[in-house]
Amino acid sequence: MSYYEIQGGRPLEGTLAIHGAKNSVLPILAACLLVPGQCILHNCPDLSDVSATLDILRLLGCRVDRSGDTVSVDAGTLSRSGIPERLMREMRSSVIFLGALLARLGAAELSYPGGCELGSRPIDLHLSALRTLGAEIKEEQGALCCRDEGMRGRELCLSIPSVGATENIMLAACGCPGLTTIVGAAREPEIVDLQNFLQEMGAAVTGAGTSTVAIRGGLPLHPAEHRVMGDRIAAATYLCAAAAAGGEIEVTGVEPGYLTAVLACLEEAGCTLHAGPETIVLASSAPLKGISPVRTAPYPGFPTDCQAILMAALAGGEGATLFVENIFDSRYRHVDELRRMGADIQVAGQAAMVSGVGRLHAAAVRSTDLRGGAALVVAGLAAEGVTRVSELRHIRRGYQALDENLRTLGAEIRLLP
Ligand code: UD1
């Protein structure tokens, strides 16, 4: 089983171009199903979640090609509406195919994505919204069988601003005649990227980035070419790594305005930051200071996906910081691993009190989930000694060439064996 070996304590220096956003490319790949023709996507990251999504598209009958970071998807040959359980299990976000398949074929058969490493992740909001639009959805022994029974645009109200539900509805609504309005929509930048792609295909979608998204469905769509936005969470990961290990780095290809909540925390912790168009420079002479409570919240609040990563950076700093996880009910699984590295973190329900210990020490640790794994790498880069991080399959879901990129910045990290 491969693992990263990290010699901690090397400051990071240099410039890094950030790859395309995982959370943007997955719904955009599903959106390719909406047109019977070839869509071309640039800045498509090489991640295991992307490979799994491309496998699903192939299985559905699409022609898929990849050359470097450009992926083409031709859904002109789409021939199936069912996704087998094996592929659904690989990636929870494959539930996004529901909306796209309903819009294009009027039918979809998927298995229930079930729970995941972040605790229970229901899809009730996705299902009730699609039912309101006129889909008939039968749930039997973990299988979902969906049919378009006269779907039409309607006003929908989300009780939680769910990212996945907002995207699923946007895709389904493209195939529903009439106006669909999503009230209480999630406002994440990745939803704006999906809207941009849909507009490029000729869809009438507006309002993404605000809490009301409107879709006038049933219009003829055409193939489009699109550049996927930069990954704000990957950018935040490298910035937290430099914050913890010290040094000065620049990340490019990401909009600083999408990271306002994270950058404010890093600044409060003692880092110096400069933002330009699509670029962020961070300088840190660790140790970091404790900061005001970090409460995860829907965008534009502090992203839950950055909680573990910032926690890892602050655990080896000085002073105390309270974290409150408001989005997922089981997102502190990295804490036990950080404790192996000497971290002092007390968890009580949704809260985690981090008391900086000055410096973490090396240990053999296991990734528990995607961002938890990245957090351990951040911790290892700053820690004293040689840290081993295993279970890298979690990390590969969302980071392209993490070790290579960190080496470019001067880190001593090796992939073994
Ligand atoms: C997306 C991101 C994930 C990020 C999360 C929150 C992708 C591929 N993944 O996940 O990286 O951590 O947003 O920013 O984009 N909920 C329900 N019922 C539903 C749907 C959601 O109760 O039908 C709840 C969830 O349990 C969670 C909250 O709503 O507590 C937010 O989840 P949601 O925004 O849907 O997250 P995902 O789209 O799954």
Side-chain angles (χ1 to χ4, degrees):
M1 210 173 37
S2 61
Y3 59 92
Y4 288 145
E5 190 180 85
I6 306 166
Q7 170 67 59
R10 303 276 182 269
L12 303 186
E13 307 282 345
T15 298
L16 190 68
I18 299 299
H19 59 67
K22 170 178 93 71
N23 288 352
S24 183
V25 74
L26 300 180
I28 286 176
L29 283 167
C32 291
L33 288 182
L34 296 179
V35 284
Q38 189 186 54
C39 292
I40 297 177
L41 305 177
H42 302 289
N43 204 26
C44 198
D46 187 7
L47 309 171
S48 62
D49 270 11
V50 171
S51 305
T53 306
L54 297 183
D55 284 345
I56 291 176
L57 289 168
R58 285 191 192 97
L59 185 125
L60 294 172
C62 301
R63 270 202 294 268
V64 177
D65 270 312
R66 172 164 207 140
S67 166
D69 72 356
T70 297
V71 167
S72 66
V73 178
D74 186 342
T77 47
L78 181 68
S79 55
R80 294 181 58 173
S81 57
I83 302 177
E85 193 179 344
R86 173 180 58 85
L87 287 174
M88 284 300 293
R89 276 193 183 283
E90 222 163 289
M91 204 181 38
R92 196 200 113 90
S93 53
S94 44
V95 71
I96 195 76
F97 280 102
L98 204 53
L101 284 167
L102 272 173
R104 172 81 191 279
L105 299 176
E109 300 87 36
L110 272 61
S111 71
Y112 215 88
C116 77
E117 64 264 16
L118 305 182
S120 76
R121 287 177 81 170
I123 55 165
D124 55 314
L125 299 174
H126 301 238
L127 301 185
S128 70
L130 295 175
R131 283 187 172 118
T132 305
L133 291 178
E136 180 195 77
I137 304 178
K138 290 187 188 148
E139 299 171 66
E140 275 169 28
Q141 294 172 352
L144 291 168
C145 185
C146 315
R147 291 280 170 280
D148 179 343
E149 293 292 336
M151 288 174 78
R152 293 196 57 77
R154 292 227 163 55
E155 180 170 295
L156 303 166
C157 193
L158 291 179
S159 53
I160 302 172
S162 156
V163 176
T166 302
E167 294 166 343
N168 229 339
I169 298 166
M170 286 165 73
L171 296 180
C174 283
C176 297
L179 179 69
T180 297
T181 312
I182 313 171
V183 178
R187 293 186 281 162
E188 267 67 2
E190 292 75 14
I191 295 172
V192 178
D193 207 21
L194 175 63
Q195 169 176 284
N196 290 342
F197 180 56
L198 293 171
Q199 287 175 345
E200 283 150 13
M201 291 170 118
V205 185
T206 53
T210 76
S211 52
T212 305
V213 177
I215 308 106
R216 188 163 288 287
L219 301 179
L221 303 183
H222 51 77
E225 191 164 345
H226 180 77
R227 183 176 170 81
V228 176
M229 65 176 273
D231 196 313
R232 63 193 167 106
I233 309 298
T237 305
Y238 292 106
L239 293 174
C240 284
E248 178 167 337
I249 69 162
E250 178 185 36
V251 293
T252 63
V254 67
E255 169 53 48
Y258 292 159
L259 278 168
T260 303
V262 178
L263 301 184
C265 291
L266 290 171
E267 201 152 38
E268 191 183 342
C271 302
T272 309
L273 286 142
H274 295 289
E278 297 258 307
T279 173
I280 304 163
V281 177
L282 175 142
S284 164
S285 45
L288 299 174
K289 296 181 287 192
I291 60 174
S292 337
V294 178
R295 301 173 201 280
T296 66
Y299 187 84
F302 187 91
T304 173
D305 286 355
C306 290
Q307 175 253 105
I309 296 155
L310 181 65
M311 185 182 288
L314 294 175
E318 289 170 349
T321 304
L322 174 69
F323 283 78
V324 183
E325 173 55 56
N326 291 311
I327 307 293
F328 292 111
D329 54 14
S330 179
R331 205 161 198 181
Y332 284 137
R333 291 177 55 184
H334 50 281
V335 166
D336 278 344
E337 301 302 308
L338 288 173
R339 284 198 188 115
R340 287 174 191 270
M341 301 178 73
D344 178 354
I345 305 171
Q346 304 302 319
V347 176
Q350 290 170 269
M353 178 55 92
V354 179
S355 304
V357 292
R359 189 156 183 205
L360 299 177
H361 58 72
V365 288
R366 281 183 325 114
S367 307
T368 50
D369 57 85
L370 166 58
R371 305 304 170 187
L376 298 176
V377 172
V378 167
L381 290 166
E384 180 151 20
V386 179
T387 294
R388 284 179 169 202
V389 181
S390 61
E391 302 283 349
L392 302 184
R393 68 196 155 86
H394 293 295
I395 294 179
R396 292 190 183 113
R397 287 187 42 221
Y399 294 89
Q400 178 178 319
L402 181 63
D403 53 328
E404 232 176 280
N405 287 339
L406 288 167
R407 277 195 297 277
T408 324
L409 297 175
E412 246 185 271
I413 174 169
R414 293 196 297 161
L415 175 64
L416 292 166

